[in-house]
Amino acid sequence: MKVQVSASFKKHARKTILSIFVFAFTYIFLLLFAIGITIGFTFLGLLVFTSKPMFLTAIACIGLFASGLTVLFFLIKFIFASTKVDTDHLTEITEHDEPELFLLIHQIVNEVDTSFPKKVFLSHDVNASVFYDSSFWSMFLPIRKNLQIGVGLINAVTQQELKAILAHEFGHFSQKSMKVGSYVYHVNQIIYNMLYKNESLDNIFEKWGNVSGYSAIFIGISVFIIQQIQNILKYLYKYVNLNYLALSREMEFHADEIAAHVAGSKALADSLLRLGFANHALNYIFNFYDGKISENIRSNNIYHEQNCVMLLLAERSRYRVQEGFPQIELATLKKYDKSKLNLENQWASHPTDEERVKALWKLDIIKNNVSNEPAIALLSNGAAIADQISEKLFSHIQYQQVPATLNLSEFKDNFESQINRYTIDPKFNDFYDYNNPLLKGDLATAEELEELTFDELFADRKIESLYELNSLKSDKHIVEAIQKGDIKLKTFDYDGKKYRDIDADELLIKIENDILDITRQVDSYNYQIHHYFQRLSIAQERKEEFDQKYDDFEAFYKTFDESQMIYDDMNENTAFFFQTLPFGEIEARVSDLKRREVSFKKRLSKLLSLRENIQPPMDATLLSTLNKYINTDLLYFNVDEYKEENLQILLQAIAEYKRLLDDIYFSKKKTYLDFILRLEEDKTRQ
């Protein structure tokens, strides 16, 4: 298959090739410089020794020669380095194991006109990639690549979509022009090796330093020269990378076009939009089972559960389901992002999913006779390999006894019960995901409040205001960073208008005014909603309960910021535990921490008392540890050593404090919202 590269691809390829030549020229210059230093230091050392032969001049002669050699070694050590990809977490499969999957790979390889992978591996995650072990000589010798496919990906796509995804991966290696990227990759590896992978050089300096005290002088000379070379390489690394990353983004578009010719635009676009959602579902499952370790419960097959969670989340998000898979629309994803700020990210290696999907729509390559069967059906024996990979994942976890497994029905009930505890009812149309049901600003009178229905109170246009408010706040932080110089940009676009960095002050005023306007609007929505449910509670003779639940949440919310500040303060003032400090400074900081602990322990004790009424109950061992922390004056440092056991109790208490704070806050909010929803449901039954 021959897919022509774009003009933009060619432009960035030329720039990248130029950067390779600049690197090669600079490197040759530095290498000749190092050879010159080595020869010069050798002659100087011999001259010093022959002019006055003695022990010190012999040391000087050897030291100067060694200094020159270490600088030279620094510049050539990458030749001996290699990057070996760790495959311990992967499961290798063969054509005998999975004939149908290999048949699909053969078809793609033939259509793309590339070589078959050396090995094929399955992983547990939602991903696909081509990888290989590399070294300096990889730039000159042909290397066969390995293919890695995540079962979490196979489980979340159709066979046609899997074909598109794999065609994209092989597309990276199907054109000769794509080899430019490979060369730049190795140039980057070389520079990275000289900048950041200097363990071998450090070992040489350590051994050299142990030989004689005089070695420090010559080590210092070597280090000084190497640091100057590294300063040059840092600028070169940035220059090469900026060109490479621009080319990398073009390579993604190019590989997408190849995939579209193989499997059609729709298959790749649909899978791109779904994979983030599928990964989100899988992470939900991992988090669920992390919480079940203490109960000695594990999964039987995470991929059956992934399907279950995807469909459950799709139902809650009102996504259309087709052929058993949620269909994620670009417009649906974009509704959360109302940012008006447009920054070109020079350091992004990939274009955004939105950019890729729009490019695929523009290609509009249609394929007939597509297979919309689940890709997981390609795996043999009812995807028995998925059971093996699930088993492998949980085999690394230390359970206190032989763990039990949940069948799919039990998992669904458990998972849905847990997610219900930590999610707002979808009937509120996401209104309270980004908003609290609190009255702020000037109190509106009943005469000013419009009489609306439940559906009108939570209409899409009102939720749009919340998305816009969040995006404005995000835009404000970024523009502030541009104003301070933390983000280096000469120009940027906002709401379709180009701004210079010096115009950031003016733009911030506009953004802040917009935030103020929408905040007032949201406040008025909260008054309308409160008034609506207050009237309902009066009509149902439940106003006292309504007021009590509202006041309970409001009272806790008012202390939330202060509680959060206490957590931040404890986090900040325990960071020194992970630093190397003089004993005197450690004692002073521990003493200061002890003073701060007084208010922290009081607030933690208060949170524990509030937590008693919230389900599920806290683990008895954890509760005992927290009570020990609150009621005991723990010693953290004694003379010249930390008391590790006590430090672990302290750090666990800080982490649990934050979890309790967020848990109680959400529980009180949800309790109030569930109550007002029951008021509405009772009204409709009457």
Side-chain angles (χ1 to χ4, degrees), residues 77-255:
K77 64 185 175 67
F78 66 83
I79 294 174
F80 311 102
S82 63
T83 302
K84 187 173 178 62
V85 179
D86 181 14
T87 59
D88 288 346
H89 64 293
L90 303 177
T91 301
E92 184 179 353
I93 55 171
T94 65
E95 192 159 4
H96 178 266
D97 300 323
E98 302 294 344
E100 290 191 58
L101 179 59
F102 271 72
L103 178 61
L104 177 66
I105 297 171
H106 276 294
Q107 290 172 356
I108 297 167
V109 164
N110 291 334
E111 286 191 60
V112 175
D113 190 21
T114 187
S115 57
F116 197 86
K118 180 182 178 183
K119 293 181 179 179
V120 178
F121 296 91
L122 294 181
S123 65
H124 73 270
D125 55 4
V126 183
N127 190 27
S129 63
V130 175
F131 68 91
Y132 54 94
D133 296 334
S134 65
S135 67
F136 169 72
W137 305 108
S138 305
M139 297 176 71
F140 313 105
L141 302 174
I143 292 182
R144 289 179 64 194
K145 284 81 177 177
N146 302 311
L147 175 65
Q148 177 242 310
I149 316 171
V151 177
L153 182 149
I154 298 174
N155 193 47
V157 296
T158 67
Q159 293 181 18
Q160 192 71 13
E161 289 166 349
L162 180 61
K163 186 176 184 180
I165 292 165
L166 298 184
H168 169 93
E169 295 303 325
F170 287 121
H172 281 302
F173 304 97
S174 65
Q175 302 271 335
K176 290 182 180 178
S177 55
M178 304 299 278
K179 291 183 180 179
V180 175
S182 178
Y183 278 108
V184 180
Y185 169 78
H186 285 99
V187 167
N188 275 313
Q189 289 290 96
I190 291 168
I191 300 175
Y192 185 84
N193 179 279
M194 288 188 281
L195 283 176
Y196 305 112
K197 298 187 73 174
N198 291 301
E199 296 87 355
S200 56
L201 198 62
D202 292 339
N203 290 335
I204 290 172
F205 285 146
E206 185 179 350
K207 291 176 182 176
W208 187 8
N210 290 332
V211 172
S212 168
Y214 296 108
S215 303
I217 299 170
F218 304 104
I219 291 173
I221 294 171
S222 300
V223 169
F224 175 78
I225 296 170
I226 288 170
Q227 285 175 343
Q228 306 317 305
I229 294 172
Q230 285 180 321
N231 288 335
I232 296 171
L233 290 173
K234 285 175 184 176
Y235 287 107
L236 198 58
Y237 189 63
K238 181 178 179 180
Y239 168 66
V240 172
N241 266 284
L242 283 174
N243 285 317
Y244 170 59
L245 292 171
L247 176 62
S248 177
R249 293 191 291 273
E250 292 298 325
M251 288 165 65
E252 289 300 314
F253 285 124
H254 182 72

Side-chain angles (χ1 to χ4, degrees), residues 186-364:
H186 285 99
V187 167
N188 275 313
Q189 289 290 96
I190 291 168
I191 300 175
Y192 185 84
N193 179 279
M194 288 188 281
L195 283 176
Y196 305 112
K197 298 187 73 174
N198 291 301
E199 296 87 355
S200 56
L201 198 62
D202 292 339
N203 290 335
I204 290 172
F205 285 146
E206 185 179 350
K207 291 176 182 176
W208 187 8
N210 290 332
V211 172
S212 168
Y214 296 108
S215 303
I217 299 170
F218 304 104
I219 291 173
I221 294 171
S222 300
V223 169
F224 175 78
I225 296 170
I226 288 170
Q227 285 175 343
Q228 306 317 305
I229 294 172
Q230 285 180 321
N231 288 335
I232 296 171
L233 290 173
K234 285 175 184 176
Y235 287 107
L236 198 58
Y237 189 63
K238 181 178 179 180
Y239 168 66
V240 172
N241 266 284
L242 283 174
N243 285 317
Y244 170 59
L245 292 171
L247 176 62
S248 177
R249 293 191 291 273
E250 292 298 325
M251 288 165 65
E252 289 300 314
F253 285 124
H254 182 72
D256 281 350
E257 187 170 353
I258 290 172
H261 277 85
V262 171
S265 295
K266 185 178 186 303
L268 185 57
D270 287 353
S271 61
L272 279 173
L273 291 169
R274 191 184 310 120
L275 291 187
F277 179 78
N279 189 57
H280 184 58
L282 197 58
N283 285 332
Y284 253 128
I285 295 164
F286 291 144
N287 290 335
F288 173 83
Y289 280 110
D290 281 347
K292 295 292 183 183
I293 292 175
S294 61
E295 300 176 45
N296 295 298
I297 294 175
R298 49 152 286 185
S299 174
N300 190 37
N301 184 315
I302 59 171
Y303 301 107
H304 295 321
E305 295 163 351
Q306 183 191 23
N307 284 334
C308 175
V309 172
M310 284 175 65
L311 293 175
L312 176 63
L313 296 179
E315 181 182 356
R316 287 171 177 259
S317 301
R318 299 180 291 282
Y319 293 153
R320 180 170 55 90
V321 176
Q322 184 177 324
E323 310 289 349
F325 295 106
Q327 304 301 306
I328 317 296
E329 304 292 337
L330 184 59
T332 303
L333 296 180
K334 284 296 292 178
K335 80 174 185 178
Y336 302 104
D337 182 9
K338 301 295 180 184
S339 173
K340 300 176 183 178
L341 197 59
N342 184 16
L343 307 178
E344 183 181 356
N345 186 357
Q346 293 178 301
W347 294 99
S349 61
H350 285 59
T352 65
D353 286 347
E354 180 184 359
E355 291 170 329
R356 292 175 67 185
V357 168
K358 286 182 175 178
L360 287 164
W361 286 348
K362 189 174 180 180
L363 286 172
D364 195 26

Side-chain angles (χ1 to χ4, degrees), residues 47-77:
L47 183 63
V48 169
F49 179 71
T50 54
S51 65
K52 195 170 184 179
M54 55 188 294
F55 175 74
L56 287 178
T57 56
I59 290 291
C61 178
I62 296 169
L64 286 168
F65 175 66
S67 288
L69 279 182
T70 52
V71 173
L72 185 60
F73 173 72
F74 166 76
L75 283 166
I76 64 171
K77 64 185 175 67

Side-chain angles (χ1 to χ4, degrees), residues 316-483:
R316 287 171 177 259
S317 301
R318 299 180 291 282
Y319 293 153
R320 180 170 55 90
V321 176
Q322 184 177 324
E323 310 289 349
F325 295 106
Q327 304 301 306
I328 317 296
E329 304 292 337
L330 184 59
T332 303
L333 296 180
K334 284 296 292 178
K335 80 174 185 178
Y336 302 104
D337 182 9
K338 301 295 180 184
S339 173
K340 300 176 183 178
L341 197 59
N342 184 16
L343 307 178
E344 183 181 356
N345 186 357
Q346 293 178 301
W347 294 99
S349 61
H350 285 59
T352 65
D353 286 347
E354 180 184 359
E355 291 170 329
R356 292 175 67 185
V357 168
K358 286 182 175 178
L360 287 164
W361 286 348
K362 189 174 180 180
L363 286 172
D364 195 26
I365 298 172
I366 299 171
K367 290 288 180 178
N368 298 318
N369 301 320
V370 301
S371 173
N372 289 320
E373 292 295 312
I376 198 76
L378 293 169
L379 299 180
S380 300
N381 301 322
I385 190 75
D387 291 338
Q388 295 175 31
I389 290 175
S390 288
E391 176 67 34
K392 189 174 183 179
L393 276 172
F394 286 92
S395 65
H396 300 293
I397 299 174
Q398 297 293 322
Y399 293 97
Q400 296 196 357
Q401 58 189 54
V402 177
T405 58
L406 300 177
N407 62 41
L408 193 58
S409 177
E410 290 171 330
F411 167 80
K412 184 177 180 181
D413 290 342
N414 271 262
F415 182 82
E416 197 160 6
S417 173
Q418 185 182 91
I419 202 171
N420 284 340
R421 270 202 311 273
Y422 297 104
T423 56
I424 303 298
D425 195 292
K427 292 186 180 70
F428 288 115
N429 197 18
D430 300 339
F431 186 78
Y432 291 114
D433 289 358
Y434 304 97
N435 178 39
N436 284 310
L438 295 168
L439 303 180
K440 298 179 183 177
D442 297 329
L443 182 64
T445 64
E447 291 76 18
E448 295 172 336
L449 296 172
E450 188 180 355
E451 297 297 333
L452 301 172
T453 66
F454 182 91
D455 290 339
E456 288 170 334
L457 289 170
F458 300 104
D460 287 345
R461 65 180 178 82
K462 296 191 173 181
I463 281 69
E464 292 283 321
S465 297
L466 292 168
Y467 298 149
E468 188 175 352
L469 182 60
N470 278 343
S471 295
L472 280 168
K473 290 177 179 178
S474 176
D475 288 350
K476 179 186 173 183
H477 290 312
I478 296 171
V479 175
E480 283 176 338
I482 295 171
Q483 178 197 41

Side-chain angles (χ1 to χ4, degrees), residues 10-33:
K10 291 176 181 177
K11 181 185 78 173
H12 289 298
R14 285 193 295 270
K15 285 186 175 181
T16 304
I17 291 169
L18 175 62
S19 71
I20 294 173
F21 278 113
V22 170
F23 165 75
F25 176 80
T26 307
Y27 176 75
I28 290 169
F29 172 79
L30 291 173
L31 185 61
L32 291 174
F33 172 72

Side-chain angles (χ1 to χ4, degrees), residues 585-599:
E585 185 173 348
I586 292 173
E587 288 173 349
R589 293 200 182 196
V590 168
S591 178
D592 179 59
L593 178 64
K594 284 290 184 182
R595 288 192 295 272
R596 297 173 189 276
E597 269 191 314
V598 176
S599 58

